[in-house]
Amino acid sequence: MYAQLVETGVKRIKDLSEMTEQERAFQEKIDSEIKIEAKNWMPDAYRQTLIRQISQHAHSEIVGMLPEGNWVTRAPSLKRKLQLMAKIQDEAGHGLYLYSAMETLGADRDEEIAKLHSGKAKYSSIFNYPTLNWADMGAVGWLVDGAAIVNQVVLQRTSYGPYSRAMVRICKEESFHQRQGYEILLTMMRHGNQAQKTWSRTPSTACGGRH
């Protein structure tokens, strides 16, 4: 979901008998599900792949604030405005956790953000879809964040410690976002006018559908 192919120069997986002592010790930790920490030795290919994945994951969290930011001033009530602002704050925090984890690998945050701005680095393309009405905001929370949870829960057990620990907190907060989106659509279905109910039943633009 988050990482482009990284050219590491590695063409095949080495057998244990072909590994150096450092490589064998590293692989044994991986096989035993012992977390790799920032000060531990790691292969360059592992480091490069992590930097690419974590940076693009962080970019996706930051870009993921934009749909909510577009609706803060247009949300239908003060309660909804506060919910959106809280979600934006959470997503900014997720980006911070992930950029910080990336920096423990020796990457430079400013350089990685510059790659995002130049188009060299990617992010989750779902955020390129416009959120044209309030029902889209519910769909983003319920379905897009829900899909993110499915993808991200497994990352809580990823081998790199700082990334794994960041994901534990991120997944907890994403579950609130999913519930918030569900509640937005449920409220529109129960209490909205006929047009709002129709929007709620129609696959949203944010989820690749149309109104």
Side-chain angles (χ1 to χ4, degrees), residues 163-196:
Y163 192 19
S164 172
R165 290 187 288 273
M167 291 312 305
V168 171
R169 180 163 182 174
I170 288 172
C171 286
K172 288 180 180 178
E173 293 178 353
E174 290 291 358
S175 66
F176 286 105
H177 303 168
Q178 182 189 29
R179 183 65 187 178
Q180 179 191 73
Y182 174 82
E183 196 268 337
I184 287 173
L185 291 179
L186 183 64
T187 299
M188 290 183 71
M189 288 294 293
R190 286 178 172 173
H191 306 295
N193 58 38
Q194 189 56 49
Q196 291 172 327

PDB file of all heavy atoms in Angstrom, residues 163-196:
ATOM      1  N   TYR A 163       8.932   1.525  14.192  1.00  0.00           N
ATOM      2  CA  TYR A 163       7.767   1.492  13.291  1.00  0.00           C
ATOM      3  C   TYR A 163       6.630   0.706  13.939  1.00  0.00           C
ATOM      4  O   TYR A 163       5.471   1.140  13.932  1.00  0.00           O
ATOM      5  CB  TYR A 163       8.190   0.849  11.971  1.00  0.00           C
ATOM      6  CG  TYR A 163       7.214   0.986  10.822  1.00  0.00           C
ATOM      7  CD1 TYR A 163       6.206   1.949  10.809  1.00  0.00           C
ATOM      8  CD2 TYR A 163       7.336   0.158   9.713  1.00  0.00           C
ATOM      9  CE1 TYR A 163       5.335   2.073   9.723  1.00  0.00           C
ATOM     10  CE2 TYR A 163       6.471   0.271   8.621  1.00  0.00           C
ATOM     11  CZ  TYR A 163       5.474   1.220   8.642  1.00  0.00           C
ATOM     12  OH  TYR A 163       4.614   1.325   7.570  1.00  0.00           O
ATOM     13  N   SER A 164       6.957  -0.421  14.514  1.00  0.00           N
ATOM     14  CA  SER A 164       5.952  -1.267  15.161  1.00  0.00           C
ATOM     15  C   SER A 164       5.241  -0.524  16.283  1.00  0.00           C
ATOM     16  O   SER A 164       4.009  -0.537  16.373  1.00  0.00           O
ATOM     17  CB  SER A 164       6.632  -2.533  15.708  1.00  0.00           C
ATOM     18  OG  SER A 164       5.742  -3.291  16.492  1.00  0.00           O
ATOM     19  N   ARG A 165       6.005   0.147  17.119  1.00  0.00           N
ATOM     20  CA  ARG A 165       5.403   0.847  18.262  1.00  0.00           C
ATOM     21  C   ARG A 165       4.555   2.036  17.806  1.00  0.00           C
ATOM     22  O   ARG A 165       3.520   2.333  18.412  1.00  0.00           O
ATOM     23  CB  ARG A 165       6.502   1.276  19.232  1.00  0.00           C
ATOM     24  CG  ARG A 165       7.148   0.099  19.966  1.00  0.00           C
ATOM     25  CD  ARG A 165       8.111   0.561  21.033  1.00  0.00           C
ATOM     26  NE  ARG A 165       9.337   1.119  20.487  1.00  0.00           N
ATOM     27  CZ  ARG A 165      10.416   0.418  20.161  1.00  0.00           C
ATOM     28  NH1 ARG A 165      10.419  -0.910  20.303  1.00  0.00           N
ATOM     29  NH2 ARG A 165      11.506   1.006  19.683  1.00  0.00           N
ATOM     30  N   ALA A 166       4.998   2.724  16.761  1.00  0.00           N
ATOM     31  CA  ALA A 166       4.189   3.827  16.225  1.00  0.00           C
ATOM     32  C   ALA A 166       2.849   3.305  15.737  1.00  0.00           C
ATOM     33  O   ALA A 166       1.798   3.940  15.930  1.00  0.00           O
ATOM     34  CB  ALA A 166       4.939   4.520  15.092  1.00  0.00           C
ATOM     35  N   MET A 167       2.864   2.131  15.110  1.00  0.00           N
ATOM     36  CA  MET A 167       1.643   1.596  14.534  1.00  0.00           C
ATOM     37  C   MET A 167       0.620   1.183  15.589  1.00  0.00           C
ATOM     38  O   MET A 167      -0.581   1.204  15.339  1.00  0.00           O
ATOM     39  CB  MET A 167       1.962   0.406  13.629  1.00  0.00           C
ATOM     40  CG  MET A 167       2.698   0.772  12.360  1.00  0.00           C
ATOM     41  SD  MET A 167       1.957   2.179  11.489  1.00  0.00           S
ATOM     42  CE  MET A 167       0.269   1.613  11.304  1.00  0.00           C
ATOM     43  N   VAL A 168       1.067   0.804  16.766  1.00  0.00           N
ATOM     44  CA  VAL A 168       0.135   0.441  17.838  1.00  0.00           C
ATOM     45  C   VAL A 168      -0.764   1.633  18.166  1.00  0.00           C
ATOM     46  O   VAL A 168      -1.995   1.510  18.236  1.00  0.00           O
ATOM     47  CB  VAL A 168       0.894  -0.034  19.093  1.00  0.00           C
ATOM     48  CG1 VAL A 168      -0.065  -0.195  20.275  1.00  0.00           C
ATOM     49  CG2 VAL A 168       1.614  -1.351  18.812  1.00  0.00           C
ATOM     50  N   ARG A 169      -0.158   2.798  18.330  1.00  0.00           N
ATOM     51  CA  ARG A 169      -0.949   3.988  18.663  1.00  0.00           C
ATOM     52  C   ARG A 169      -1.783   4.453  17.472  1.00  0.00           C
ATOM     53  O   ARG A 169      -2.942   4.837  17.627  1.00  0.00           O
ATOM     54  CB  ARG A 169      -0.023   5.112  19.123  1.00  0.00           C
ATOM     55  CG  ARG A 169      -0.791   6.377  19.480  1.00  0.00           C
ATOM     56  CD  ARG A 169       0.030   7.324  20.296  1.00  0.00           C
ATOM     57  NE  ARG A 169      -0.747   8.496  20.664  1.00  0.00           N
ATOM     58  CZ  ARG A 169      -0.307   9.439  21.484  1.00  0.00           C
ATOM     59  NH1 ARG A 169       0.888   9.331  22.031  1.00  0.00           N
ATOM     60  NH2 ARG A 169      -1.054  10.480  21.760  1.00  0.00           N
ATOM     61  N   ILE A 170      -1.193   4.408  16.288  1.00  0.00           N
ATOM     62  CA  ILE A 170      -1.908   4.852  15.093  1.00  0.00           C
ATOM     63  C   ILE A 170      -3.171   4.032  14.878  1.00  0.00           C
ATOM     64  O   ILE A 170      -4.247   4.571  14.583  1.00  0.00           O
ATOM     65  CB  ILE A 170      -0.983   4.787  13.862  1.00  0.00           C
ATOM     66  CG1 ILE A 170       0.068   5.899  13.948  1.00  0.00           C
ATOM     67  CG2 ILE A 170      -1.782   4.914  12.568  1.00  0.00           C
ATOM     68  CD1 ILE A 170       1.152   5.816  12.887  1.00  0.00           C
ATOM     69  N   CYS A 171      -3.068   2.716  15.025  1.00  0.00           N
ATOM     70  CA  CYS A 171      -4.239   1.858  14.795  1.00  0.00           C
ATOM     71  C   CYS A 171      -5.349   2.130  15.808  1.00  0.00           C
ATOM     72  O   CYS A 171      -6.538   2.090  15.466  1.00  0.00           O
ATOM     73  CB  CYS A 171      -3.826   0.379  14.834  1.00  0.00           C
ATOM     74  SG  CYS A 171      -2.924  -0.149  13.351  1.00  0.00           S
ATOM     75  N   LYS A 172      -4.978   2.422  17.049  1.00  0.00           N
ATOM     76  CA  LYS A 172      -5.993   2.751  18.050  1.00  0.00           C
ATOM     77  C   LYS A 172      -6.753   4.016  17.647  1.00  0.00           C
ATOM     78  O   LYS A 172      -7.985   4.083  17.767  1.00  0.00           O
ATOM     79  CB  LYS A 172      -5.332   2.948  19.417  1.00  0.00           C
ATOM     80  CG  LYS A 172      -4.837   1.661  20.069  1.00  0.00           C
ATOM     81  CD  LYS A 172      -4.188   1.944  21.411  1.00  0.00           C
ATOM     82  CE  LYS A 172      -3.695   0.644  22.064  1.00  0.00           C
ATOM     83  NZ  LYS A 172      -3.004   0.908  23.353  1.00  0.00           N
ATOM     84  N   GLU A 173      -6.030   5.009  17.178  1.00  0.00           N
ATOM     85  CA  GLU A 173      -6.677   6.270  16.813  1.00  0.00           C
ATOM     86  C   GLU A 173      -7.485   6.128  15.529  1.00  0.00           C
ATOM     87  O   GLU A 173      -8.552   6.749  15.391  1.00  0.00           O
ATOM     88  CB  GLU A 173      -5.623   7.374  16.694  1.00  0.00           C
ATOM     89  CG  GLU A 173      -4.990   7.708  18.053  1.00  0.00           C
ATOM     90  CD  GLU A 173      -3.908   8.771  17.975  1.00  0.00           C
ATOM     91  OE1 GLU A 173      -3.532   9.166  16.856  1.00  0.00           O
ATOM     92  OE2 GLU A 173      -3.437   9.211  19.042  1.00  0.00           O
ATOM     93  N   GLU A 174      -7.006   5.316  14.591  1.00  0.00           N
ATOM     94  CA  GLU A 174      -7.754   5.114  13.348  1.00  0.00           C
ATOM     95  C   GLU A 174      -9.111   4.463  13.618  1.00  0.00           C
ATOM     96  O   GLU A 174     -10.079   4.699  12.896  1.00  0.00           O
ATOM     97  CB  GLU A 174      -6.946   4.250  12.370  1.00  0.00           C
ATOM     98  CG  GLU A 174      -5.719   4.922  11.779  1.00  0.00           C
ATOM     99  CD  GLU A 174      -6.033   6.049  10.815  1.00  0.00           C
ATOM    100  OE1 GLU A 174      -7.229   6.312  10.551  1.00  0.00           O
ATOM    101  OE2 GLU A 174      -5.079   6.671  10.306  1.00  0.00           O
ATOM    102  N   SER A 175      -9.192   3.651  14.657  1.00  0.00           N
ATOM    103  CA  SER A 175     -10.469   3.008  14.974  1.00  0.00           C
ATOM    104  C   SER A 175     -11.519   4.045  15.377  1.00  0.00           C
ATOM    105  O   SER A 175     -12.713   3.887  15.079  1.00  0.00           O
ATOM    106  CB  SER A 175     -10.291   1.974  16.092  1.00  0.00           C
ATOM    107  OG  SER A 175      -9.939   2.584  17.319  1.00  0.00           O
ATOM    108  N   PHE A 176     -11.092   5.145  16.017  1.00  0.00           N
ATOM    109  CA  PHE A 176     -12.015   6.231  16.342  1.00  0.00           C
ATOM    110  C   PHE A 176     -12.476   6.935  15.069  1.00  0.00           C
ATOM    111  O   PHE A 176     -13.645   7.309  14.943  1.00  0.00           O
ATOM    112  CB  PHE A 176     -11.355   7.241  17.283  1.00  0.00           C
ATOM    113  CG  PHE A 176     -11.213   6.759  18.699  1.00  0.00           C
ATOM    114  CD1 PHE A 176      -9.980   6.360  19.203  1.00  0.00           C
ATOM    115  CD2 PHE A 176     -12.313   6.696  19.547  1.00  0.00           C
ATOM    116  CE1 PHE A 176      -9.851   5.908  20.502  1.00  0.00           C
ATOM    117  CE2 PHE A 176     -12.192   6.251  20.852  1.00  0.00           C
ATOM    118  CZ  PHE A 176     -10.950   5.858  21.334  1.00  0.00           C
ATOM    119  N   HIS A 177     -11.556   7.108  14.122  1.00  0.00           N
ATOM    120  CA  HIS A 177     -11.912   7.766  12.865  1.00  0.00           C
ATOM    121  C   HIS A 177     -12.934   6.940  12.088  1.00  0.00           C
ATOM    122  O   HIS A 177     -13.875   7.498  11.498  1.00  0.00           O
ATOM    123  CB  HIS A 177     -10.663   7.966  12.003  1.00  0.00           C
ATOM    124  CG  HIS A 177      -9.584   8.753  12.673  1.00  0.00           C
ATOM    125  ND1 HIS A 177      -8.291   8.845  12.184  1.00  0.00           N
ATOM    126  CD2 HIS A 177      -9.604   9.500  13.812  1.00  0.00           C
ATOM    127  CE1 HIS A 177      -7.575   9.606  12.975  1.00  0.00           C
ATOM    128  NE2 HIS A 177      -8.346  10.016  13.978  1.00  0.00           N
ATOM    129  N   GLN A 178     -12.758   5.636  12.107  1.00  0.00           N
ATOM    130  CA  GLN A 178     -13.704   4.763  11.411  1.00  0.00           C
ATOM    131  C   GLN A 178     -15.094   4.875  12.040  1.00  0.00           C
ATOM    132  O   GLN A 178     -16.104   4.984  11.335  1.00  0.00           O
ATOM    133  CB  GLN A 178     -13.229   3.321  11.451  1.00  0.00           C
ATOM    134  CG  GLN A 178     -14.143   2.363  10.696  1.00  0.00           C
ATOM    135  CD  GLN A 178     -13.777   0.916  10.913  1.00  0.00           C
ATOM    136  OE1 GLN A 178     -13.246   0.545  11.958  1.00  0.00           O
ATOM    137  NE2 GLN A 178     -14.061   0.074   9.929  1.00  0.00           N
ATOM    138  N   ARG A 179     -15.136   4.862  13.347  1.00  0.00           N
ATOM    139  CA  ARG A 179     -16.420   4.967  14.045  1.00  0.00           C
ATOM    140  C   ARG A 179     -17.072   6.316  13.787  1.00  0.00           C
ATOM    141  O   ARG A 179     -18.304   6.415  13.619  1.00  0.00           O
ATOM    142  CB  ARG A 179     -16.218   4.754  15.556  1.00  0.00           C
ATOM    143  CG  ARG A 179     -17.505   4.785  16.358  1.00  0.00           C
ATOM    144  CD  ARG A 179     -18.408   3.625  15.994  1.00  0.00           C
ATOM    145  NE  ARG A 179     -19.718   3.743  16.642  1.00  0.00           N
ATOM    146  CZ  ARG A 179     -20.702   2.886  16.465  1.00  0.00           C
ATOM    147  NH1 ARG A 179     -20.526   1.840  15.674  1.00  0.00           N
ATOM    148  NH2 ARG A 179     -21.861   3.063  17.060  1.00  0.00           N
ATOM    149  N   GLN A 180     -16.277   7.357  13.738  1.00  0.00           N
ATOM    150  CA  GLN A 180     -16.802   8.702  13.461  1.00  0.00           C
ATOM    151  C   GLN A 180     -17.434   8.754  12.076  1.00  0.00           C
ATOM    152  O   GLN A 180     -18.527   9.308  11.894  1.00  0.00           O
ATOM    153  CB  GLN A 180     -15.661   9.716  13.555  1.00  0.00           C
ATOM    154  CG  GLN A 180     -16.059  11.155  13.264  1.00  0.00           C
ATOM    155  CD  GLN A 180     -14.846  12.041  13.115  1.00  0.00           C
ATOM    156  OE1 GLN A 180     -14.135  11.971  12.111  1.00  0.00           O
ATOM    157  NE2 GLN A 180     -14.585  12.852  14.126  1.00  0.00           N
ATOM    158  N   GLY A 181     -16.774   8.178  11.082  1.00  0.00           N
ATOM    159  CA  GLY A 181     -17.320   8.166   9.729  1.00  0.00           C
ATOM    160  C   GLY A 181     -18.622   7.393   9.648  1.00  0.00           C
ATOM    161  O   GLY A 181     -19.581   7.816   8.986  1.00  0.00           O
ATOM    162  N   TYR A 182     -18.659   6.256  10.313  1.00  0.00           N
ATOM    163  CA  TYR A 182     -19.878   5.449  10.349  1.00  0.00           C
ATOM    164  C   TYR A 182     -21.027   6.240  10.960  1.00  0.00           C
ATOM    165  O   TYR A 182     -22.154   6.236  10.448  1.00  0.00           O
ATOM    166  CB  TYR A 182     -19.625   4.176  11.156  1.00  0.00           C
ATOM    167  CG  TYR A 182     -20.842   3.317  11.387  1.00  0.00           C
ATOM    168  CD1 TYR A 182     -21.288   2.425  10.400  1.00  0.00           C
ATOM    169  CD2 TYR A 182     -21.554   3.394  12.585  1.00  0.00           C
ATOM    170  CE1 TYR A 182     -22.415   1.642  10.615  1.00  0.00           C
ATOM    171  CE2 TYR A 182     -22.675   2.614  12.804  1.00  0.00           C
ATOM    172  CZ  TYR A 182     -23.099   1.731  11.815  1.00  0.00           C
ATOM    173  OH  TYR A 182     -24.216   0.962  12.026  1.00  0.00           O
ATOM    174  N   GLU A 183     -20.737   6.962  12.034  1.00  0.00           N
ATOM    175  CA  GLU A 183     -21.777   7.728  12.730  1.00  0.00           C
ATOM    176  C   GLU A 183     -22.282   8.886  11.876  1.00  0.00           C
ATOM    177  O   GLU A 183     -23.471   9.227  11.907  1.00  0.00           O
ATOM    178  CB  GLU A 183     -21.220   8.229  14.076  1.00  0.00           C
ATOM    179  CG  GLU A 183     -22.276   8.709  15.056  1.00  0.00           C
ATOM    180  CD  GLU A 183     -22.548  10.198  14.937  1.00  0.00           C
ATOM    181  OE1 GLU A 183     -21.660  10.917  14.436  1.00  0.00           O
ATOM    182  OE2 GLU A 183     -23.648  10.633  15.345  1.00  0.00           O
ATOM    183  N   ILE A 184     -21.395   9.490  11.076  1.00  0.00           N
ATOM    184  CA  ILE A 184     -21.812  10.561  10.167  1.00  0.00           C
ATOM    185  C   ILE A 184     -22.836  10.037   9.167  1.00  0.00           C
ATOM    186  O   ILE A 184     -23.904  10.638   8.962  1.00  0.00           O
ATOM    187  CB  ILE A 184     -20.596  11.150   9.424  1.00  0.00           C
ATOM    188  CG1 ILE A 184     -19.750  12.003  10.377  1.00  0.00           C
ATOM    189  CG2 ILE A 184     -21.047  11.998   8.221  1.00  0.00           C
ATOM    190  CD1 ILE A 184     -18.444  12.487   9.774  1.00  0.00           C
ATOM    191  N   LEU A 185     -22.549   8.906   8.545  1.00  0.00           N
ATOM    192  CA  LEU A 185     -23.476   8.346   7.561  1.00  0.00           C
ATOM    193  C   LEU A 185     -24.762   7.845   8.214  1.00  0.00           C
ATOM    194  O   LEU A 185     -25.849   8.005   7.653  1.00  0.00           O
ATOM    195  CB  LEU A 185     -22.790   7.198   6.804  1.00  0.00           C
ATOM    196  CG  LEU A 185     -21.661   7.613   5.864  1.00  0.00           C
ATOM    197  CD1 LEU A 185     -21.047   6.388   5.198  1.00  0.00           C
ATOM    198  CD2 LEU A 185     -22.156   8.584   4.801  1.00  0.00           C
ATOM    199  N   LEU A 186     -24.632   7.251   9.390  1.00  0.00           N
ATOM    200  CA  LEU A 186     -25.818   6.763  10.094  1.00  0.00           C
ATOM    201  C   LEU A 186     -26.760   7.912  10.435  1.00  0.00           C
ATOM    202  O   LEU A 186     -27.992   7.800  10.274  1.00  0.00           O
ATOM    203  CB  LEU A 186     -25.405   6.016  11.369  1.00  0.00           C
ATOM    204  CG  LEU A 186     -26.529   5.375  12.180  1.00  0.00           C
ATOM    205  CD1 LEU A 186     -27.208   4.272  11.360  1.00  0.00           C
ATOM    206  CD2 LEU A 186     -25.970   4.794  13.484  1.00  0.00           C
ATOM    207  N   THR A 187     -26.208   9.025  10.893  1.00  0.00           N
ATOM    208  CA  THR A 187     -27.019  10.199  11.222  1.00  0.00           C
ATOM    209  C   THR A 187     -27.717  10.747   9.980  1.00  0.00           C
ATOM    210  O   THR A 187     -28.898  11.124  10.024  1.00  0.00           O
ATOM    211  CB  THR A 187     -26.139  11.292  11.861  1.00  0.00           C
ATOM    212  OG1 THR A 187     -25.559  10.780  13.067  1.00  0.00           O
ATOM    213  CG2 THR A 187     -26.950  12.546  12.171  1.00  0.00           C
ATOM    214  N   MET A 188     -27.012  10.795   8.861  1.00  0.00           N
ATOM    215  CA  MET A 188     -27.638  11.274   7.625  1.00  0.00           C
ATOM    216  C   MET A 188     -28.767  10.351   7.190  1.00  0.00           C
ATOM    217  O   MET A 188     -29.809  10.808   6.706  1.00  0.00           O
ATOM    218  CB  MET A 188     -26.582  11.386   6.515  1.00  0.00           C
ATOM    219  CG  MET A 188     -25.585  12.510   6.734  1.00  0.00           C
ATOM    220  SD  MET A 188     -24.404  12.694   5.376  1.00  0.00           S
ATOM    221  CE  MET A 188     -25.481  13.357   4.112  1.00  0.00           C
ATOM    222  N   MET A 189     -28.580   9.058   7.347  1.00  0.00           N
ATOM    223  CA  MET A 189     -29.614   8.102   6.956  1.00  0.00           C
ATOM    224  C   MET A 189     -30.847   8.219   7.852  1.00  0.00           C
ATOM    225  O   MET A 189     -31.982   8.077   7.398  1.00  0.00           O
ATOM    226  CB  MET A 189     -29.068   6.670   7.027  1.00  0.00           C
ATOM    227  CG  MET A 189     -28.083   6.330   5.932  1.00  0.00           C
ATOM    228  SD  MET A 189     -28.847   6.323   4.297  1.00  0.00           S
ATOM    229  CE  MET A 189     -29.942   4.916   4.434  1.00  0.00           C
ATOM    230  N   ARG A 190     -30.648   8.478   9.129  1.00  0.00           N
ATOM    231  CA  ARG A 190     -31.767   8.527  10.080  1.00  0.00           C
ATOM    232  C   ARG A 190     -32.474   9.872  10.094  1.00  0.00           C
ATOM    233  O   ARG A 190     -33.703   9.936  10.234  1.00  0.00           O
ATOM    234  CB  ARG A 190     -31.257   8.209  11.487  1.00  0.00           C
ATOM    235  CG  ARG A 190     -30.928   6.745  11.717  1.00  0.00           C
ATOM    236  CD  ARG A 190     -30.389   6.542  13.122  1.00  0.00           C
ATOM    237  NE  ARG A 190     -30.245   5.119  13.448  1.00  0.00           N
ATOM    238  CZ  ARG A 190     -29.672   4.663  14.578  1.00  0.00           C
ATOM    239  NH1 ARG A 190     -29.178   5.523  15.456  1.00  0.00           N
ATOM    240  NH2 ARG A 190     -29.587   3.364  14.800  1.00  0.00           N
ATOM    241  N   HIS A 191     -31.708  10.954   9.986  1.00  0.00           N
ATOM    242  CA  HIS A 191     -32.276  12.280  10.245  1.00  0.00           C
ATOM    243  C   HIS A 191     -32.145  13.253   9.074  1.00  0.00           C
ATOM    244  O   HIS A 191     -32.649  14.377   9.169  1.00  0.00           O
ATOM    245  CB  HIS A 191     -31.611  12.904  11.475  1.00  0.00           C
ATOM    246  CG  HIS A 191     -31.656  12.031  12.694  1.00  0.00           C
ATOM    247  ND1 HIS A 191     -32.833  11.686  13.317  1.00  0.00           N
ATOM    248  CD2 HIS A 191     -30.655  11.404  13.382  1.00  0.00           C
ATOM    249  CE1 HIS A 191     -32.565  10.890  14.355  1.00  0.00           C
ATOM    250  NE2 HIS A 191     -31.252  10.711  14.406  1.00  0.00           N
ATOM    251  N   GLY A 192     -31.479  12.864   7.989  1.00  0.00           N
ATOM    252  CA  GLY A 192     -31.273  13.783   6.881  1.00  0.00           C
ATOM    253  C   GLY A 192     -32.496  13.906   5.994  1.00  0.00           C
ATOM    254  O   GLY A 192     -33.476  13.161   6.127  1.00  0.00           O
ATOM    255  N   ASN A 193     -32.433  14.882   5.083  1.00  0.00           N
ATOM    256  CA  ASN A 193     -33.507  15.015   4.098  1.00  0.00           C
ATOM    257  C   ASN A 193     -33.330  13.939   3.018  1.00  0.00           C
ATOM    258  O   ASN A 193     -32.380  13.158   3.062  1.00  0.00           O
ATOM    259  CB  ASN A 193     -33.532  16.420   3.502  1.00  0.00           C
ATOM    260  CG  ASN A 193     -32.207  16.790   2.846  1.00  0.00           C
ATOM    261  OD1 ASN A 193     -31.549  15.960   2.204  1.00  0.00           O
ATOM    262  ND2 ASN A 193     -31.810  18.057   3.002  1.00  0.00           N
ATOM    263  N   GLN A 194     -34.240  13.915   2.053  1.00  0.00           N
ATOM    264  CA  GLN A 194     -34.201  12.845   1.061  1.00  0.00           C
ATOM    265  C   GLN A 194     -32.913  12.868   0.240  1.00  0.00           C
ATOM    266  O   GLN A 194     -32.344  11.816  -0.071  1.00  0.00           O
ATOM    267  CB  GLN A 194     -35.413  12.948   0.121  1.00  0.00           C
ATOM    268  CG  GLN A 194     -35.573  11.740  -0.801  1.00  0.00           C
ATOM    269  CD  GLN A 194     -35.647  10.426  -0.022  1.00  0.00           C
ATOM    270  OE1 GLN A 194     -36.404  10.299   0.937  1.00  0.00           O
ATOM    271  NE2 GLN A 194     -34.841   9.458  -0.431  1.00  0.00           N
ATOM    272  N   ALA A 195     -32.441  14.064  -0.099  1.00  0.00           N
ATOM    273  CA  ALA A 195     -31.198  14.166  -0.871  1.00  0.00           C
ATOM    274  C   ALA A 195     -30.021  13.605  -0.077  1.00  0.00           C
ATOM    275  O   ALA A 195     -29.171  12.884  -0.612  1.00  0.00           O
ATOM    276  CB  ALA A 195     -30.932  15.618  -1.251  1.00  0.00           C
ATOM    277  N   GLN A 196     -29.965  13.938   1.223  1.00  0.00           N
ATOM    278  CA  GLN A 196     -28.877  13.431   2.062  1.00  0.00           C
ATOM    279  C   GLN A 196     -28.946  11.913   2.206  1.00  0.00           C
ATOM    280  O   GLN A 196     -27.927  11.231   2.198  1.00  0.00           O
ATOM    281  CB  GLN A 196     -28.931  14.115   3.431  1.00  0.00           C
ATOM    282  CG  GLN A 196     -28.563  15.584   3.383  1.00  0.00           C
ATOM    283  CD  GLN A 196     -28.820  16.282   4.694  1.00  0.00           C
ATOM    284  OE1 GLN A 196     -29.758  15.939   5.430  1.00  0.00           O
ATOM    285  NE2 GLN A 196     -28.020  17.278   5.003  1.00  0.00           N
TER     286      GLN A 196
END
